[in-house]
């Protein structure tokens, strides 16, 4: 029986670039920005890095393939740099690799860095990724908003939720994230919006409007991990450790069998159960202090609350409208603005979620600081509702 | 051509089935006339509508639709041993167009496919050839004669208003007497190089000579010759013809030819000019299929077409005529029309107007032909894999089957290997599980509707929807499959085909106007 990852690895340092339309910065510049902050925070020299894991999704508008772009941009000391790609969950996947490398004793200190440069496409929204030679011959020319919008249609039908009520609930999700993002100097979007603005916005994919969709941003984030012993030997106190790291990937069941009802994320439920078990959490709604979930679209966040067991099934609408996940609520979600407002540079997003969690747990989140958080969960989703990658990490104070 | 009356010992030769297809959209001629009034005031006052193909339709997809209208939903199509596709607008100059149709219909591969083009009468030439082949003692099986046209016309031309898009199917062969709906009595042909219009290879639009010359020197002289030859071969007189099918865009030309030949005026059929337009190569077969819906035993049907000469065929309707109904039928397709007053939509779908696609429209649509061939049954035929042990249907088919997953829980056990058998989905009903309509990506007819559909009896595909009126899709909406253009690779000129879902419609329900 595997003993799991709980408390075996600690965060030594983190960094995150300003997210947004970074016309001024190349992917390489963004990497340097996040790396500098993380290395300063960790207080180490490049020669102390034993392995690097590099998350980036798009080839055509990014840095191309392989590990060399990171190694060259950061002038790394000829260590192994592994490119990790797992759709929008690549960031957490890179973290998992770094954490496992340290836990295995293969190296003392490892870095995971994610970057995405999306604003060199010339248009809004995500670029279309290539999917091989077979899928394009039958699969729709689908875009993310319409893939995730389908959750709304199936959710409404399953739980008999009035279309207007669901629209208002998901609007609340975005209003909350905008309010949070306004307090975050590194966020892409920093203006509060009203529910009316959200409801009136142009439709992107029925029933999702402009404000139901996350920002498409440039940005980079990095995390440096090591063992608790090494962290302490380097002078670190009040360590933040990994309690769980779980990834679940679709095997085609949702997309091909007739059993999935389209209203929830099958892999998130599986990954969440495993993560809670690994972390020793029995009542996540009570034990977690905060979450950063993959709110690529407002409906995704609402459904994810149920899949993580934080709302009961069919209860997401009420909890959202009751403000449970607002900054002042019982279980704040996206206190940094989330994908919605901090932004969504794909390969970096999973690490950005950890970054906020890390700041909060250390009491360094300035205007956004929550009162005494102990344990937080990140949920990083790649793909689309009917076939995807769900990556969950739980981190907390070493003594929590 | 000689008398083709059959050896009664082996059953008569004739028509075993028929069907048609008309695209849903009906362009208001008044909208065209109004838009072009500044340039071509002569078209003011033009009334009625014409059909036009959706952006994802062409002569191949329409031929498939007509064939399915004729063949019905039956699983066994093994009796079909030939597919002939006649069209002046074949999408491929090199690649067997009828072969694509045969793949879409999941026909056995031991059949003969044949493309016919080059003249407005190529459908009737194909029909005559197929009947002649069926009469050969060595003939086995049935031949599906298809005709379709999706013609491009110059904006502000007469043809733009007169032409329509559509397809028709006639299934022929030697049958037992109770299966032959109309027996072939005789055929007649005249082949001369009379150039009333032409279209050079590589061009999209016809060049047409003066109408008065075409009437007087062409149609009036050549068509009666072919008809006379057919009647002689059939051994009947012109006055015995009860139904006269002769499509022509020249006003009252059918009546004039009838009179010249001695055919009764009441034998003329509605040319569908007012609501549908002239569907080109498909039109004689379309009107024939329409006429067969109402035909009564013992009636004589004469069908003729003009083009590089003329062609005529005479049939006698048999007692079996009432035993067959097409799935929707030409009259059903006529009733399904939706008025469209948007002229720029028509121009855009026809390729006459290039709209701004935005950068998202720049995506490369290159098709790997190796992949297409390897998966042609799934892509062109919509054939899934059904696990023999569990009955679970998988699309696309795969070596390993799913097993043991449940909501929020991973699978238990080992997946079965090589356990799937081919399972056709195209003729099965389906329902929408989830859907959306998006405005983000480039789409020729936004918003792009797609979603997951669950098939009756198992199987699920996330697929595109087509022929949608905004607001008619919801979870649970019953859908049916249509064979359509998936993508066009404009860089290389290759067209990709796949199946799409469209709401099940009853023929009798009038459609809401599309906005």
């Amino acid at each position: 029986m595997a003993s799991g990852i709980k408390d075996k690895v600690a965060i030594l340092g983190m960094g995150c670039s300003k997210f947004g339309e970074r016309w001024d910065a190349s992917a390489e510049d963004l990497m340097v920005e996040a790396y500098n902050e993380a290395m300063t925070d960790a207080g180490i020299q490049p020669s102390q890095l034993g392995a690097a894991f590099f998350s980036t999704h798009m080839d055509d508008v990014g840095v191309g393939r392989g590990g060399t772009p990171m190694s060259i941009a950061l002038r790394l000391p000829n260590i192994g740099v592994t490119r990790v790609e797992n759709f929008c969950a690549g960031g957490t996947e890179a973290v998992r690799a770094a954490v496992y490398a340290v836990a295995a004793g293969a190296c003392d200190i490892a870095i995971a860095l994610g970057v995405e440069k999306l604003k060199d496409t010339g248009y809004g929204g995500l670029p279309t990724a290539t999917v091989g030679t077979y899928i394009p011959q039958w699969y729709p020319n689908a875009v993310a908003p319409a893939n995730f919008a389908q959750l709304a249609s199936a959710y409404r039908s399953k739980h008999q939720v009035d279309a207007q009520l669901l629209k208002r609930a998901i609007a609340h999700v975005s209003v909350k994230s905008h309010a949070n993002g306004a307090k975050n100097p590194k966020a892409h979007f920093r203006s509060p919006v009203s529910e009316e603005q959200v409801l009136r916005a142009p439709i992107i994919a029925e029933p999702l409007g402009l404000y139901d969709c996350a920002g498409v941003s440039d940005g980079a984030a990095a995390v440096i991990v090591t063992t608790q012993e090494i962290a302490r030997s380097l002078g670190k106190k009040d360590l933040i450790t990994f309690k769980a790291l779980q990834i679940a990937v679709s095997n085609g069941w949702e997309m091909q069998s007739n059993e999935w009802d389209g209203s929830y994320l099958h892999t998130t439920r599986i990954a969440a159960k495993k993560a809670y078990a690994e972390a020793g959490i029995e009542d996540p709604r009570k034990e977690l202090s905060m979450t950063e979930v993959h709110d690529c679209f407002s409906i995704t966040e609402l459904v994810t609350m149920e899949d993580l067991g934080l709302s009961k099934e069919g209860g997401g609408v009420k909890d959202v409208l009751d403000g449970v996940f607002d900054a002042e609520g019982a279980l704040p979600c996206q206190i940094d603005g989330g994908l919605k407002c901090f932004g969504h540079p794909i390969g970096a997003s999973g690490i950005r979620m950890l970054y906020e969690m890390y700041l909060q747990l250390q009491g360094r989140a300035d205007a956004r600081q929550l009162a005494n958080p102990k344990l937080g969960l990140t949920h990083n989703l790649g793909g689309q509702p009917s076939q995807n990658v769900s990556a969950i990490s739980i981190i907390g104070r070493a003594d929590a | 051509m000689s008398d083709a009356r059959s050896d009664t010992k082996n059953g008569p030769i004739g028509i075993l089935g028929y069907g048609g297809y008309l695209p849903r959209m009906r362009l208001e001629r008044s909208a065209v006339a109004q838009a072009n009034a500044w340039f071509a005031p002569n078209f003011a006052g033009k009334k009625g509508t014409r059909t036009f193909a959706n952006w994802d339709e062409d002569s191949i997809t329409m031929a498939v639709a007509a064939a399915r209208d004729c063949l019905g939903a039956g699983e066994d199509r093994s009796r079909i041993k030939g597919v002939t596709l006649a069209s002046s607008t074949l999408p491929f100059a090199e690649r067997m167009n009828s072969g694509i149709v045969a793949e879409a219909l999941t026909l056995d591969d031991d059949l003969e496919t044949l493309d016919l083009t080059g003249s407005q009468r190529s459908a009737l030439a194909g029909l005559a050839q197929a009947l002649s082949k069926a009469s050969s003692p060595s003939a086995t099986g049935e031949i599906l004669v298809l005709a379709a046209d999706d013609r491009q016309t110059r904006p502000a031309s007469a043809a733009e208003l007169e032409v329509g898009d559509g397809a028709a199917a006639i299934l022929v062969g030697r049958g037992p007497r109770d299966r032959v709906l109309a027996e072939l009595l005789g055929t007649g042909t005249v082949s001369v190089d009379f150039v009333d219009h032409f279209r050079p290879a590589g061009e999209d639009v016809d060049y047409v000579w003066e109408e008065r010359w075409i009437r007087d020197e062409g149609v009036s002289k050549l068509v009666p010759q072919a008809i006379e030859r057919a009647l002689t071969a059939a051994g009947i007189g012109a006055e015995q013809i009860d139904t006269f099918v002769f499509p022509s865009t020249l006003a009252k030309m059918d009546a004039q030819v009838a009179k010249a030949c001695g055919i009764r005026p009441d034998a003329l059929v509605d040319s569908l000019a007012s609501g549908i337009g002239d569907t080109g190569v498909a039109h004689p077969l379309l009107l024939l299929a329409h006429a067969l819906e109402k035909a009564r035993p013992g009636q004589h049907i004469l069908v003729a077409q003009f083009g590089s000469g003329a062609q005529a065929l005479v049939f006698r309707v048999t007692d079996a005529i009432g035993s067959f109904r097409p799935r929707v039928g030409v009259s059903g397709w006529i009733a399904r029309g939706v008025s469209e007053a948007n002229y720029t939509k028509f121009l855009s779908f026809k390729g006459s107007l290039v709209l701004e696609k935005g950068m998202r429209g720049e995506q490369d649509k290159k098709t790997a032909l190796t992949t297409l061939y390897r998966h042609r049954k799934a892509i062109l035929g919509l054939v899934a894999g059904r696990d023999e042990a569990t009955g679970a249907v998988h699309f696309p088919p795969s070596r390993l089957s799913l097993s043991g997953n449940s909501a929020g829980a991973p699978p238990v056990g080992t997946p079965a290997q090589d356990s799937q058998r081919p399972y056709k989905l195209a003729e099965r009903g389906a329902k929408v599980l989830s859907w959306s309509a998006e405005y983000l990506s480039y789409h020729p007819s936004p918003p792009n509707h797609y979603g997951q559909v669950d098939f009756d009896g198992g199987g699920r595909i996330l697929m595109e929807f087509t022929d949608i009126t905004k607001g008619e899709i919801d979870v649970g909406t019953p859908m049916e499959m249509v064979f359509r253009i998936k993508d066009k690779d404009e860089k290389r000129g290759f067209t990709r085909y796949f199946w799409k879902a469209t709401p099940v419609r009853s023929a009798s329900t009038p459609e809401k106007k599309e906005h």
Side-chain angles (χ1 to χ4, degrees):
Chain A
M1 184 72 186
S3 58
I5 205 70
K6 188 178 181 185
D7 291 329
K8 289 177 181 170
V9 177
I11 296 176
L12 189 60
M14 287 201 75
C16 184
S17 76
K18 163 105 178 74
F19 283 10
E21 291 174 329
R22 294 292 305 271
W23 311 120
D24 61 313
S26 65
E28 290 77 8
D29 298 334
L30 295 167
M31 282 193 254
V32 169
E33 207 173 309
Y35 175 73
N36 283 347
E37 184 186 343
M39 290 295 279
T40 304
D41 184 39
I44 58 168
Q45 297 302 309
S47 58
Q48 292 172 270
L49 293 172
F53 297 90
F54 175 45
S55 162
T56 188
H57 176 58
M58 297 288 176
D59 300 319
D60 48 348
V61 292
V63 291
R65 293 168 207 271
T68 47
M70 175 174 169
S71 190
I72 292 169
L74 304 179
R75 307 297 181 197
L76 295 179
N78 302 114
I79 55 173
V81 180
T82 305
R83 184 184 154 176
V84 172
E85 194 286 308
N86 221 346
F87 300 127
C88 299
T92 304
E93 186 72 278
V95 172
R96 187 170 73 138
V99 167
Y100 281 11
V102 167
C107 63
D108 288 338
I109 299 177
I111 181 170
L113 179 145
V115 68
E116 211 75 47
K117 179 70 195 170
L118 294 173
K119 296 309 297 178
D120 281 345
T121 53
Y123 52 82
L126 293 177
T128 309
T130 54
V131 287
T133 62
Y134 186 16
I135 290 170
Q137 298 198 39
W138 64 272
Y139 193 81
N141 296 316
V143 293
N147 283 331
F148 282 92
Q150 292 182 51
L151 276 176
S153 69
Y155 187 93
R156 276 195 312 245
S157 168
K158 181 180 184 184
H159 298 297
Q160 293 297 300
V161 181
D162 172 70
Q164 292 310 310
L165 179 65
L166 184 62
K167 180 86 178 155
R168 207 157 62 77
I170 59 178
H172 186 95
V173 167
S174 297
V175 170
K176 170 265 297 164
S177 294
H178 271 269
N180 293 348
K183 294 181 180 169
N184 184 352
K186 286 187 175 178
H188 183 166
F189 297 113
R190 302 201 59 207
S191 311
V193 296
S194 68
E195 184 183 292
E196 203 198 339
Q197 270 177 288
V198 177
L199 292 174
R200 275 203 329 236
I203 291 293
I204 302 296
E206 295 282 350
L208 305 177
L210 181 65
Y211 289 106
D212 291 301
C213 307
V216 171
S217 326
D218 302 328
V223 59
I224 297 165
V225 296
T226 188
T227 62
Q228 289 202 44
E229 295 68 34
I230 295 169
R232 289 208 176 84
S233 75
L234 291 169
K236 297 289 176 184
K237 296 185 182 91
D238 303 325
L239 296 184
I240 308 302
T241 57
F242 285 87
K243 309 294 184 184
L245 266 171
Q246 289 292 336
I247 296 187
V249 181
S250 296
N251 63 6
W253 175 74
E254 302 98 300
M255 179 166 272
Q256 292 180 309
S257 85
N258 296 87
E259 293 168 4
W260 179 62
D261 65 22
S263 73
Y264 63 96
L265 295 157
H266 175 63
T267 56
T268 296
R269 292 185 179 187
I270 293 171
K273 268 180 239 161
K274 287 184 175 175
Y276 295 144
E278 188 172 32
I281 291 175
E282 282 165 10
D283 185 346
R285 174 116 173 212
K286 277 212 187 95
E287 295 174 54
L288 293 174
S289 313
M290 56 185 282
T291 63
E292 287 286 334
V293 306
H294 201 87
D295 58 325
C296 49
F297 300 94
S298 53
I299 183 66
T300 324
E301 180 174 323
L302 187 148
V303 165
T304 299
M305 290 299 124
E306 297 182 14
D307 295 330
L308 293 174
L310 306 177
S311 286
K312 63 177 203 268
E313 203 180 328
V317 170
K318 182 172 186 304
D319 284 352
V320 163
L321 288 171
D322 286 349
V324 173
F325 310 113
D326 293 358
E328 310 75 27
L331 185 52
C333 177
Q334 333 292 50
I335 192 65
D336 62 356
L339 298 177
K340 173 74 203 77
C341 291
F342 202 141
H344 186 22
I346 303 173
S349 284
I351 304 173
R352 181 277 301 160
M353 295 174 184
L354 275 182
Y355 177 73
E356 177 68 9
M357 203 78 41
Y358 174 73
L359 295 182
Q360 290 282 352
L361 291 165
Q362 293 192 326
R364 292 162 57 193
D366 299 328
R368 310 182 302 285
Q369 184 62 49
L370 298 170
N372 197 31
K374 291 188 169 64
L375 211 55
L377 175 146
T378 72
H379 163 261
N380 190 193
L381 178 70
Q384 47 102 345
S386 65
Q387 64 177 22
N388 54 65
V389 176
S390 277
I392 291 175
S393 73
I394 298 173
I395 63 169
R397 299 183 194 171
D399 55 6
Chain B
M1 253 197 168
S2 65
D3 186 311
R5 263 178 296 180
S6 57
D7 176 356
T8 47
K9 221 167 41 175
N10 296 317
I13 304 295
I15 295 171
L16 307 174
Y18 58 90
Y21 175 73
L22 294 169
R24 193 165 173 248
M25 279 177 293
R26 309 295 149 87
L27 179 65
E28 296 286 346
R29 294 193 175 105
S30 58
V32 180
Q34 219 169 343
N36 293 329
W38 65 276
F39 179 78
N42 47 317
F43 296 124
K46 286 285 181 188
K47 291 189 179 62
T49 61
R50 56 154 292 178
T51 54
F52 73 103
N54 203 343
W55 73 270
D56 60 357
E57 296 184 289
D58 63 13
S59 291
I60 285 177
T61 68
M62 291 194 293
V64 170
R68 294 174 72 207
D69 193 47
C70 171
L71 297 178
E75 182 87 2
D76 182 17
R77 290 169 175 171
S78 60
R79 65 186 190 274
I80 296 163
K81 295 297 175 202
V83 174
T84 296
L85 173 58
S87 173
S88 78
T89 49
L90 290 169
F92 286 91
E94 183 69 37
R95 180 186 179 189
M96 186 74 89
N97 295 274
S98 48
I100 302 169
V101 174
E103 293 278 8
L105 297 174
T106 60
L107 301 180
D108 296 343
D109 62 10
D110 63 343
L111 86 174
E112 285 190 35
T113 53
L114 179 65
D115 291 349
L116 289 177
T117 189
S119 163
Q120 288 291 290
R121 71 176 161 97
S122 55
L124 289 193
L127 185 61
Q129 298 271 358
L131 287 159
S132 166
K133 187 167 192 301
S135 71
S136 135
S138 64
T140 55
E142 298 164 10
I143 301 173
L144 189 57
V145 180
L146 306 172
D149 246 342
D150 170 24
R151 286 178 291 175
Q152 195 167 335
T153 50
R154 198 86 65 205
S157 66
E160 182 179 44
L161 298 169
E162 291 164 352
V163 161
D165 301 331
I170 305 286
L171 183 67
V172 303
R174 184 192 297 278
R177 192 157 284 284
D178 62 354
R179 263 207 72 207
V180 176
L181 313 177
E183 186 182 352
L184 177 70
L185 298 186
T187 68
T189 185
V190 177
S191 289
V192 295
D193 187 31
F194 183 93
V195 190
D196 60 322
H197 73 278
F198 65 91
R199 192 191 326 150
E203 290 293 320
D204 294 323
V205 177
D206 291 350
Y207 187 87
V208 187
W209 208 257
E210 187 186 5
E211 182 181 320
R212 294 174 59 83
W213 174 70
I214 300 167
R215 275 178 179 280
D216 297 348
E217 200 64 16
V219 180
S220 297
K221 291 188 177 167
L222 299 172
V223 176
Q225 279 184 52
I227 288 176
E228 199 186 314
R229 288 172 191 174
L231 289 172
T232 304
I236 65 167
E239 70 291 347
Q240 287 176 267
I241 297 298
D242 302 293
T243 303
F244 178 41
V245 172
F246 175 61
S248 171
T249 54
L250 306 175
K252 296 191 172 35
M253 198 69 239
D254 49 355
Q256 210 175 305
V257 170
K259 194 175 176 189
C261 295
I263 297 165
R264 306 195 309 270
D266 67 357
L268 293 178
V269 300
D270 177 4
S271 68
L272 306 180
S274 72
I276 303 302
D278 184 284
T279 62
V281 171
H283 216 50
L285 300 194
L286 186 81
L287 296 185
L288 175 60
H290 194 214
L292 285 168
E293 288 176 19
K294 289 162 286 186
R296 291 191 307 276
Q299 287 185 329
H300 290 111
I301 298 177
L302 169 64
V303 53
Q305 177 70 307
F306 171 72
S308 305
Q311 192 103 24
L313 295 95
V314 181
F315 296 94
R316 181 167 52 224
V317 180
T318 73
D319 292 340
I321 186 71
S323 67
F324 178 89
R325 297 298 299 168
R327 193 144 36 157
V328 175
V330 176
S331 46
W333 295 116
I334 291 171
R336 286 188 182 197
V338 177
S339 163
E340 178 61 65
N342 200 328
Y343 180 49
T344 60
K345 187 187 223 179
F346 164 79
L347 291 178
S348 166
F349 287 6
K350 284 289 178 191
S352 302
L353 178 67
V354 180
L355 299 176
E356 173 61 45
K357 289 182 176 179
M359 285 188 194
R360 286 189 171 275
E362 294 170 3
Q363 211 186 340
D364 196 340
K365 302 288 185 185
K366 182 173 179 173
T367 297
L369 300 177
T370 41
T371 308
L372 171 59
Y373 181 69
R374 199 156 51 236
H375 299 289
R376 68 189 184 283
K377 302 280 182 206
I379 294 169
L380 297 176
L382 202 67
V383 179
R386 185 172 181 275
D387 184 291
E388 289 210 309
T390 64
V393 178
H394 299 68
F395 189 91
S398 51
R399 287 197 68 190
L400 296 182
S401 291
L402 288 162
S403 66
N405 269 92
S406 56
V412 286
T414 308
Q417 184 166 319
D418 300 326
S419 60
Q420 297 174 19
R421 295 290 167 269
Y423 182 79
K424 297 179 188 181
L425 290 175
E427 305 299 345
R428 294 175 201 277
K431 285 192 177 61
V432 174
L433 175 76
S434 67
W435 68 280
S436 186
E438 58 96 353
Y439 292 88
L440 179 64
S441 60
Y442 163 71
H443 190 266
S445 187
N448 187 8
H449 282 82
Y450 46 92
Q452 299 181 95
V453 300
D454 278 352
F455 289 84
D456 301 343
R460 170 178 291 178
I461 307 182
L462 176 56
M463 66 195 310
E464 291 172 25
F465 301 165
T466 191
D467 288 354
I468 303 293
T469 301
K470 214 178 156 221
E472 73 179 328
I473 296 290
D474 206 348
V475 172
T477 301
M479 305 293 270
E480 61 189 353
M481 299 299 118
V482 289
F483 186 73
R484 293 294 172 99
I485 292 170
K486 173 79 169 69
D487 289 300
K488 289 178 187 172
D489 175 0
E490 288 175 358
K491 208 167 162 185
R492 304 165 192 87
F494 190 77
T495 301
R496 227 180 231 174
Y497 298 94
F498 186 58
W499 294 79
K500 297 183 186 179
T502 195
V504 174
R505 296 192 166 94
S506 75
S508 53
T509 316
E511 301 294 347
K512 283 183 289 182
K513 192 174 159 70
E514 197 157 12
H515 295 287

